[in-house]
Amino acid sequence: MVNRLTSRLPDWTLLLVVGLTVAYFLLTHEGLYALDDYFYARYAHQLLTGTFRVEPDPLGLLHDPLKERPLIFGPVAVCYALFGLNILSTTLWPLLATLGCAVLIWRLYRRREPLVAAAAMLLLGLHYFTLNLTNYLYPDNILMFWCLAGAGTLLRGREPGRAAGRWGAGFAALSFAALLSKETIVYYLPFYLGVLGWDAYKRRHGRFWGVALATGAGLLAAYLGFYQYYTHDALYRIHLIEQTNQFLQEGNYLAGNRAALLSRVTWQPLAFFVGAGLGLMLMLAAVAVGRPTPLAAAETGPAAPPAEAPDRRFWLLLALSTLLLYWVGSTSLSQYNPISLLPRMTTPLLPPLALAAGFGLRTVVQRTGWWAIATGLVWLLAAAWLRNAAAVLYALPGLYVLLLGVGASRPWWPARLRAGTPGLTALTVLVLAGALAIRPLYFMRKPSVSGHFAQDRLIRQHLQAPAQGVVFVDDYLIGNYDFYYGFRPPAGLHYRRYWARDSVQLAPGQHAWLLLNRATLSNDELTRKLIRYSPDSVLSWYPRRRLVAEDGPVALFDVSGF
């Protein structure tokens, strides 16, 4: 019974990750939340309605790098066609890409390495920022899916007995799909070139690489030709990125931010990774560098293929090369500008790091002893250094693994939980899942910080045609209110900022409304930079108001006599 439970660990883990991801997506959704997802949604709508323009702005004033990522907004246009234009259909594609990563890991290792599969799915799928990015139409989790699919194709397509040509073509196509999603797929390029060079040196996998290179060259030639035709610049996308870096040069580490250079390339990345919750993966990946003990047949199951060291080395080297580029690489060819230390920028790193960490956890479970003691101590030190709510992510597994390292070899330790047993494997996965689920579950219970759905309901019920007049709104909603109308607001309804009240004159038959979203006006992320007023101050500007409707933190007032 225990052996069967252990062999089914990847299946149960996949169900847990999928269930928690979907629940998080639905219970924590904040609606349209930033400029990027608004632009992607607008491009998707333009694509669906045939109004999307491929050509750049003729004056060179409105270059937008987001427009050059068709595999972000293209699938969203399909979602709009199938499910209509709303916030859930807008973010369905990032959700599917996130779930796809868990399915890919499950498919890769559910039979070969059950513990690796379960651990990697948990470390990647329940990582808080992986879940957080399912709610927004950002390219990061979508890129993560293409990265994992491409790397997995490279690994499996070079195995004996495969249809090497098809796998090579698939590898090139998936890498190209990643390029059409976000430019940071380039961080995988050094590793891919290293594998190509090693295979060329060993004179193997020639058909795989021949087809991959031919397919890639054809796709790249068509891509450059496309830009040459529409923009008269085959390298338009590269020049656009460089232009963006030039615009942001005040933060460049050799110009406006020179004083921060040393810390940025030394201790800051490590502090960032630990603070973002990636210390679990980093430590387990470090453990995976050691040579693991072969798994017992009771854990792998009699039908499973033997464990393969090349897989462990593959994910370790890919994780290491990507990590180094995040640490000291540059997003620009003309100036040194390391990538921003933001959690969403790490998504290409996460799949190989999670899989390498899965092999590391396998080593801990098989060997225990000083491997487990060292791992537990490092995690407890990370928890002590953080000294905040996120410390629990390290404290719980740290205490467990430390106890495992100290006690697993003692006579009083339960026989069913000794090193390498299926019982210990299942318990370890359970503890890891519990620790990783704490933060997502906490945020699933928190109230909304945007009030999007309440605001959407009020707009649909009270601010539709044939209503005519002016709606006074905050400085955040003024930039994206047309999304609530499917990018087609009523012709007779005009949105203005709160402070524009003195410059507005109503025509006969028109009304004026005040839409007050208390959640937006108290959102720390907005009040730090964009919004400089409170709900009470806004209400004081409109003393002659009449409440029309209220839904949670959002209220609609008639202020026609302002």
Side-chain angles (χ1 to χ4, degrees), residues 153-165 167-168 171 195-213 310 314:
T153 301
L154 176 61
L155 177 65
R156 291 286 174 259
R158 294 159 51 252
E159 292 178 341
R162 303 281 186 182
W167 284 83
F171 169 67
V195 175
L196 171 61
W198 181 252
D199 284 348
Y201 173 74
K202 292 289 185 178
R203 296 186 177 182
R204 60 187 185 185
H205 309 308
R207 180 166 177 75
F208 174 92
W209 284 111
V211 174
L213 292 173
F314 180 92

Side-chain angles (χ1 to χ4, degrees), residues 251-264:
N252 181 276
Y253 282 86
L254 296 182
N257 203 19
R258 183 187 295 266
L261 175 62
L262 181 61
S263 57
R264 172 58 184 83

Side-chain angles (χ1 to χ4, degrees), residues 9-23 99 121-122 125-126 131 429-430 432-434 437:
L9 271 179
D11 303 332
W12 291 111
T13 303
L14 179 64
L15 288 175
L16 171 66
V17 170
V18 169
L20 193 58
T21 301
V22 173
L99 296 175
M121 281 189 285
L122 290 174
L126 299 191
L131 291 170
V429 169
L430 185 62
L432 182 62

Side-chain angles (χ1 to χ4, degrees), residues 193 407 442 471:
L193 292 177
Y442 168 74
V471 185

Side-chain angles (χ1 to χ4, degrees), residues 71 171-181 185 216 219-220 222-223 237:
L71 281 190
F171 169 67
L174 290 168
S175 299
F176 185 68
L179 179 63
L180 296 183
S181 299
I185 181 59
L219 291 172
L220 191 60
Y223 185 61
R237 192 172 179 186

